[in-house]
Amino acid sequence: MSRHYAVFGHPVAHSLSPRIHAAFGRQTSIPIDYRAIDVEPGQFTHALMDFVASGGAGANVTLPLKQAAFTLCDDLTERARRAGAVNTLVRNGDTWHGDNTDGVGLVRDLTERHALDLRARRTLLIGAGGAARGVAPALLDAGIGDLFIVNRTPERTDQLADALAEPDRVHPRYLGDLQALGEFDLILNATSAARDGSHVPAMPRAIVGRRCAAVDLNYGEAAIPFLAWARAAGCHDVVDGLGMLVEQAAESFARWHGVRPETDAVYAMLNSNHDALVTAD
């Protein structure tokens, strides 16, 4: 039976992952069978079973399924365990091995492609769902300073802060606290607000420090509202999630095929069509 790969999400028709993995396959001369599978959260387990029955060997997982994927794995990498969310599944016999490549993808994009020094940056993370969980541990490992987390649902903020288990560096706060939190050197939007049709939380300009970098984990149209605010607020650097998407995909590809592809050419190809991009994985 041939080996199949896929990205699961809801919605997922927008996903660039099939294009990215096809490009990686051409680059490495590895035949790739990779497609997008739209599945609602309640049907995810059954969809994975059908995928395995048809020869599924590995998968990416995007919103809103990353935490559900975590619960379905019998074995997890340390970074997935810390995140409490999985974006990369590897079939291991009769079980799933779970990894999370989001964080390493983000850090690699910011430090290598955009030449940002993350060390000691006072950081604000907006959101506490699967995307935020995926990147928070890697940001801490990259040496950021204090990490403040805000989210519309305070309980999820507290849960993420507890999971990170670094009370001296990680501080859960409420959205209403933003005005009083002072300036930040790094602000990340890890919400799916623009994609869901809701609004990115209102943020005061007072939180923007002199060397502040603003990063949206979304790309394309879904990143426009936050990045527009960041430019208007005077952020020194403004970065969307396209590079992170390519880098996390390369890490997943390496897990499945044993070789890590080069990413710059693929990023350049996608970036040249930036206006046609829709949203984030």
Side-chain angles (χ1 to χ4, degrees):
M1 182 180 294
S2 60
R3 293 161 63 87
H4 303 298
Y5 300 86
V7 55
F8 288 84
H10 180 69
V12 78
H14 67 274
S15 178
L16 291 175
S17 291
R19 287 183 61 189
I20 293 171
H21 283 273
F24 289 160
R26 290 191 296 271
Q27 179 193 127
T28 58
S29 299
I30 296 174
I32 299 298
D33 178 352
Y34 186 111
R35 60 195 176 98
I37 300 176
D38 192 307
V39 57
E40 296 183 11
Q43 299 300 315
F44 184 40
T45 301
H46 295 296
L48 273 179
M49 292 173 61
D50 291 342
F51 179 61
V52 170
S54 68
N60 287 128
V61 183
T62 186
L63 299 174
L65 304 172
K66 294 181 180 183
Q67 288 169 271
F70 177 88
T71 66
L72 296 175
C73 293
D74 294 270
D75 180 43
L76 296 159
T77 62
E78 179 59 25
R79 58 192 180 188
R81 194 179 305 279
R82 289 175 67 197
V86 161
N87 82 326
T88 301
L89 293 167
V90 183
R91 193 65 178 171
N92 184 14
D94 294 329
T95 64
W96 286 112
H97 171 77
D99 195 2
N100 196 307
T101 65
D102 283 338
V104 67
L106 174 65
V107 170
R108 185 175 288 126
D109 179 57
L110 295 181
T111 59
E112 298 182 13
R113 180 168 291 111
H114 298 284
L116 293 178
D117 186 350
L118 301 181
R119 292 173 296 179
R121 286 187 183 246
R122 192 169 188 263
T123 299
L124 174 66
L125 179 61
I126 305 164
R133 284 176 167 272
V135 301
L139 289 168
L140 292 168
D141 290 347
I144 64 168
D146 284 356
L147 174 64
F148 290 77
I149 306 169
V150 297
N151 187 60
R152 284 194 176 93
T153 308
E155 291 80 9
R156 298 187 77 180
T157 308
D158 293 338
Q159 290 169 4
L160 176 52
D162 290 345
L164 292 170
E166 293 197 36
D168 292 337
R169 295 173 67 195
V170 179
H171 314 286
R173 294 291 187 270
Y174 302 107
L175 282 171
D177 296 333
L178 281 176
Q179 188 70 47
L181 293 183
E183 295 183 348
F184 291 95
D185 307 307
L186 178 63
I187 302 172
L188 301 105
N189 177 36
T191 73
S192 58
R195 191 180 77 172
D196 296 340
S198 53
H199 297 290
V200 175
M203 293 171 292
R205 293 192 180 194
I207 66 176
V208 175
R210 180 178 58 84
R211 65 166 186 152
C212 184
V215 180
D216 199 321
L217 303 193
N218 300 285
Y219 60 85
E221 290 183 7
I224 289 174
F226 175 78
L227 298 185
W229 169 85
R231 293 187 181 97
C235 290
H236 188 274
D237 300 282
V238 179
V239 180
D240 73 1
L242 180 61
M244 170 187 164
L245 175 67
V246 175
E247 297 300 332
Q248 65 81 23
E251 193 78 6
S252 296
F253 189 94
R255 292 300 316 273
W256 298 329
H257 305 292
V259 56
R260 192 179 193 282
E262 295 295 326
T263 56
D264 286 346
V266 177
Y267 173 78
M269 173 191 72
L270 297 174
N271 202 38
S272 67
N273 297 318
H274 198 273
D275 291 341
L277 303 182
V278 181
T279 186
D281 273 16

